[in-house]
């Protein structure tokens, strides 16, 4: 039967971080990424608030973007030694995702990473600790979701962990943390949020509970993302709420093959010296996947409904889909995101010749397609591609060519 699961408490708005003062327990561990949360004083505030609540605090710092299996295992060892009652993850999607996986290993030390990746197959958590996620970026919404993305660099594959057990107990959505984002991060996380909302709306698992959240997120992101990118902090605040709404939608309605493809291409070319950043991958692939999925009548109708909610015009669903695709491509241009892999530069900006050469892409194409089809997000996509269709779709995403199949 359908299920709708969110954190028990979501604290939002200015100074929401102070909710940490109300937590009860003896020990808390804070998981954090790079230096931004420390630089802007938010890490010190979090430590201070938890100590004010009477807790001893330990830190797991330096969690990298696209966190690795090895990082997860090291962090879990720290938790096992410290025995926290609360796990508080603060920052972007990476430290929160890593902390979720650490949480599993902390509660069940015998669990192998492969066991974590069995979709909706985790044992009951909260036998040792509860989990609080504090988001500093406006895109992943992992503070309210049942998902975590961990990278196996040896295989060059990002693996989604999916289970309602890892939905945080508490989410803190304080817009002041998002004020620290540089413009490129605003762009990428914002298009990640747009993709979450669009895929949730057309997912085969969508419900009457998720649809309003997805549409509200799409409308707000369309209105406010480019302004947030330009430095408007009121729109930045609005985006922080919108991405959370998108997260509530997709955590329960699931996603589709835009994310499957992004997961399997993101680290596939790491040996060339760069990643395809997740949000940028979603931005490039979303228009192509809409064109592919729109061959399905039910998806066509729902894409038309999205276009109607944005007042894009069009006299038929086919026209509305074309207008929706054009709108998304225009957003990519405004956010300085490439339209295809061929033009994806090593700095993630548009380039005449990107860092992934055509010959290397073609060599890896079949394996990427197979891995994308096996991704956890594929099952809820409204149109199920064959391996051959997935290869063709990936080629369209490489060359920015029309999807006519």
């Amino acid at each position: 039967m359908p299920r709708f699961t969110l954190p028990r408490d979501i604290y939002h708005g200015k100074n929401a971080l102070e909710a940490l003062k109300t937590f009860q327990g003896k020990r808390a561990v804070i998981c954090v990424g790079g230096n931004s949360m420390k630089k802007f004083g938010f890490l010190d505030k979090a430590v201070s608030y938890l100590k004010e609540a009477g807790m001893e605090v330990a830190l797991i710092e330096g969690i990298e973007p696209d966190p690795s299996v090895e990082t997860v295992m090291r962090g879990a060892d720290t938790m096992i030694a410290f025995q926290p009652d609360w796990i508080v993850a603060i920052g972007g999607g990476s430290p929160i995702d890593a902390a979720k996986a650490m949480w599993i290993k902390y509660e069940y030390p015998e669990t192998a990473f492969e066991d974590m990746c069995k979709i909706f197959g985790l044992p009951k958590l909260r036998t040792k600790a509860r989990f609080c996620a504090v988001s500093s970026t406006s895109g992943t919404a992992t503070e309210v979701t049942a998902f975590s993305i961990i990278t196996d660099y040896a295989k060059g594959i990002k693996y989604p962990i999916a289970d309602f057990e890892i939905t945080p107990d508490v989410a803190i959505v304080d817009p002041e943390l998002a004020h620290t984002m540089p413009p490129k991060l605003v762009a990428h996380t914002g298009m990640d949020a747009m993709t979450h909302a669009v895929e949730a709306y057309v997912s085969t698992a969508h419900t009457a509970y998720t649809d309003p959240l997805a549409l509200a997120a799409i409308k707000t992101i369309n209105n406010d993302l480019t302004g947030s990118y330009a430095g408007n902090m009121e729109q930045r605040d609005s985006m922080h709420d919108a991405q959370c709404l998108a997260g509530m939608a997709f955590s329960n309605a699931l996603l589709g093959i835009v994310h499957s493809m992004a997961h399997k291409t993101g680290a596939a070319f790491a040996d060339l010296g760069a990643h395809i950043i997740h949000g940028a991958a979603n931005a490039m692939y979303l228009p192509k996947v809409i064109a592919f999925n729109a061959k399905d009548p039910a998806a066509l109708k729902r894409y038309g409904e999205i276009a109607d909610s944005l007042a894009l015009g069009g006299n038929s669903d086919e026209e509305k889909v074309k207008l929706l695709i054009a709108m998304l491509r225009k957003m990519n241009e405004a956010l300085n995101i490439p339209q295809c892999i061929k033009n994806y530069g090593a700095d993630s900006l548009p380039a005449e010749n990107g860092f992934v050469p055509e010959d290397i892409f073609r060599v890896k194409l079949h394996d990427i397609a197979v891995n994308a089809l096996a991704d956890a997000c594929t099952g809820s996509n409204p149109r199920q591609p064959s391996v051959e269709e997935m290869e063709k779709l990936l080629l369209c995403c490489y060359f920015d060519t029309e999807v006519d199949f």
Side-chain angles (χ1 to χ4, degrees), residues 113 117 148-152 155 157-161 263-264:
F113 179 69
C117 298
S148 165
I149 306 299
I150 304 299
T151 303
D152 185 331
K155 297 180 180 178
I157 295 176
K158 294 184 177 183
Y159 287 96
I161 301 171
H263 292 156
K264 297 335 183 201

Side-chain angles (χ1 to χ4, degrees), residues 60-351:
I60 297 174
E61 299 183 83
I63 296 172
E64 75 274 30
D66 301 306
S68 67
V69 176
E70 291 76 17
T71 293
V72 168
M73 297 305 168
R74 285 195 300 270
D77 287 342
T78 298
M79 291 182 186
I80 290 167
F82 186 64
Q83 292 290 301
D85 307 298
W86 277 98
I87 298 167
V88 178
I90 181 169
S94 294
I96 297 174
D97 280 4
K100 286 179 176 180
M102 293 172 192
W103 184 24
I104 301 167
K105 185 73 172 176
Y106 167 49
E107 299 232 355
Y108 295 93
E110 71 284 359
T111 301
F113 179 69
E114 293 74 17
D115 297 326
M116 298 183 192
C117 298
K118 295 174 182 176
I119 304 304
F120 294 97
L122 293 178
K124 292 288 183 184
L125 297 181
R126 298 163 181 83
T127 63
K128 296 180 180 178
R130 287 186 289 170
F131 192 99
C132 171
V134 186
S135 56
S136 68
T137 60
S138 302
T140 67
T142 190
E143 73 273 7
V144 293
T145 75
F147 301 98
S148 165
I149 306 299
I150 304 299
T151 303
D152 185 331
Y153 285 93
K155 297 180 180 178
I157 295 176
K158 294 184 177 183
Y159 287 96
I161 301 171
D163 198 294
F164 288 117
E165 286 296 317
I166 60 171
T167 303
D169 297 284
V170 177
I172 295 177
V173 186
D174 188 328
E176 289 194 346
L177 277 70
H179 290 182
T180 66
M181 289 192 294
K184 185 168 75 172
L185 186 59
V186 172
H188 292 163
T189 56
M191 288 308 293
D192 191 19
M194 176 65 90
T195 306
H196 289 156
V198 171
E199 289 208 291
Y201 193 75
V202 301
S203 163
T204 58
H206 78 89
T207 69
Y209 294 84
T210 61
D211 286 350
L213 294 166
L215 286 179
I218 290 167
K219 289 163 68 174
T220 302
I221 295 166
N222 182 52
N223 288 334
D224 293 332
L225 175 54
T226 55
S228 173
Y229 178 71
N232 183 310
M233 289 303 159
E234 287 187 7
Q235 290 180 298
R236 182 78 54 89
D237 293 353
S238 179
M239 275 297 304
H240 209 44
D241 288 330
Q243 63 87 30
C244 190
L245 295 177
M248 295 179 196
F250 90 80
S251 186
N252 292 279
L254 308 180
L255 292 166
I257 58 173
V258 178
H259 273 77
S260 302
M261 295 158 64
H263 292 156
K264 297 335 183 201
T265 53
F269 307 100
D271 54 344
L272 299 178
H275 281 72
I276 300 177
I277 295 171
H278 180 71
N282 284 336
M284 293 188 294
Y285 307 163
L286 180 58
K288 304 303 182 189
V289 170
I290 290 174
F292 175 80
N293 284 341
K295 305 295 192 296
D296 174 84
L300 174 65
K301 180 177 181 293
R302 293 187 71 77
Y303 287 130
E305 291 169 0
I306 292 174
D308 286 341
S309 77
L310 299 174
L312 296 181
N315 296 316
S316 66
D317 285 332
E318 287 80 7
E319 288 183 8
K320 293 172 184 177
V321 165
K322 289 181 180 179
L323 291 168
L324 178 61
I325 289 172
M327 181 212 82
L328 292 167
R329 290 177 63 88
K330 185 178 179 181
M331 288 186 75
N332 285 348
E333 290 178 7
L335 298 168
N336 218 8
I337 296 174
Q339 301 289 4
C340 64
I341 299 171
K342 183 176 184 291
N343 299 130
Y344 184 91
D347 57 359
S348 81
L349 297 173

